[in-house]
């Protein structure tokens, strides 16, 4: 790799791998430029879709510490570098692939862990981060209200018990 333009390309790709939460490798053979433009829009704001050279990308991935993708760098390859919510971008890829069978999801990496094409499709089936957080908040709020009612019930039960004991003592005192 003596040429400076190749060295610059590898450095740029290495930086993209390091700064991304996830990267998804795809094969785009047969897609038109207009379809690729539509695909880029469907990935969302937090993803960049780049057509790459396999050799340079493999070197860049290895320099970034990602060696699990080595066998997937064959054929026409493009990489979706995802910096935000990977679920949103995975949904965009899955939905685009349904409408355009020429897009083939090869695999990817999520926070250093290798993902197969099936795992990426499962990731796409998850709900978005915001929906999951709101469900978690709702569940926590429900548990808090249950705890509050339990804590509120304890003093009232104590008061009823003390009143019952006092009433029983009054009955026994009046009977003597």
């Amino acid at each position: 790799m003596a040429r400076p333009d190749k060295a610059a390309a590898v450095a740029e790709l290495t930086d993209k791998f390091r700064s991304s939460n996830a990267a998804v490798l795809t094969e785009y053979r047969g897609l038109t430029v207009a379809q690729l433009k539509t695909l880029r829009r469907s990935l969302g704001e937090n993803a960049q879709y780049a057509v790459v050279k396999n050799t340079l990308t493999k070197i860049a991935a290895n320099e970034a510490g990602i060696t699990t993708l080595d066998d997937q760098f064959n054929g026409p390859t493009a990489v979706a570098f995802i910096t935000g919510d990977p679920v949103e971008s995975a949904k965009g890829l899955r939905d685009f692939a349904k409408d355009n069978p020429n897009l083939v999801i090869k695999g990817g990496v999520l926070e250093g862990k290798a993902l197969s094409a099936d795992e990426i499709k499962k990731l796409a089936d998850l709900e978005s981060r915001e929906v999951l957080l709101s469900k978690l908040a709702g569940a926590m709020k429900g548990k808090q209200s249950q705890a509050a009612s339990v804590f509120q019930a304890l003093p009232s039960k104590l008061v009823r018990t003390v009143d019952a004991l006092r009433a029983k003592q009054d009955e026994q005192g009046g009977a003597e």
Side-chain angles (χ1 to χ4, degrees):
M1 186 175 49
R3 293 183 28 196
D5 58 334
K6 288 185 179 180
V10 168
E12 182 182 348
L13 287 169
T14 302
D15 185 49
K16 285 184 179 181
F17 273 114
R18 286 184 178 147
S19 64
S20 299
N21 297 349
V24 178
L25 273 63
T26 63
E27 184 175 320
Y28 64 92
R29 185 186 329 246
L31 293 177
T32 65
V33 173
Q35 288 172 321
L36 287 174
K37 189 175 182 180
T38 304
L39 172 59
R40 284 185 175 99
R41 272 187 257 135
S42 71
L43 291 178
E45 299 172 359
N46 300 322
Q48 289 182 325
Y49 190 75
V51 174
V52 295
K53 292 188 180 260
N54 289 330
T55 308
L56 300 180
T57 308
K58 184 176 180 179
I59 293 169
N62 288 331
E63 285 183 11
I66 301 169
T67 57
T68 56
L69 301 176
D70 286 353
D71 59 335
Q72 296 178 2
F73 291 113
N74 50 21
T77 304
V79 181
F81 294 102
I82 304 165
T83 54
D85 184 13
V87 174
E88 177 186 354
S89 298
K91 284 181 183 188
L93 283 168
R94 179 200 59 199
D95 294 344
F96 187 85
K98 281 181 186 175
D99 298 335
N100 300 283
N102 288 335
L103 179 74
V104 177
I105 299 172
K106 295 181 178 182
V109 64
L110 174 64
E111 295 179 0
K113 181 189 176 292
L115 297 176
S116 68
D118 289 334
E119 290 173 322
I120 292 170
K121 290 174 184 168
K122 287 179 185 175
L123 181 66
D125 292 336
L126 288 176
E127 294 174 333
S128 71
R129 183 176 189 272
E130 291 78 18
V131 171
L132 291 174
L133 286 174
S134 66
K135 284 185 175 183
L136 177 64
M140 290 174 63
K141 183 178 178 184
K143 292 296 180 189
Q144 287 176 345
S145 65
Q146 286 177 346
S149 64
V150 166
F151 291 135
Q152 192 175 23
L154 289 174
S156 64
K157 187 174 181 180
L158 177 66
V159 168
R160 286 193 305 268
T161 305
V162 168
D163 284 343
L165 284 173
R166 190 173 296 142
K168 187 174 182 181
Q169 283 179 348
D170 287 346
E171 287 177 13
Q172 289 176 353
E176 293 179 15

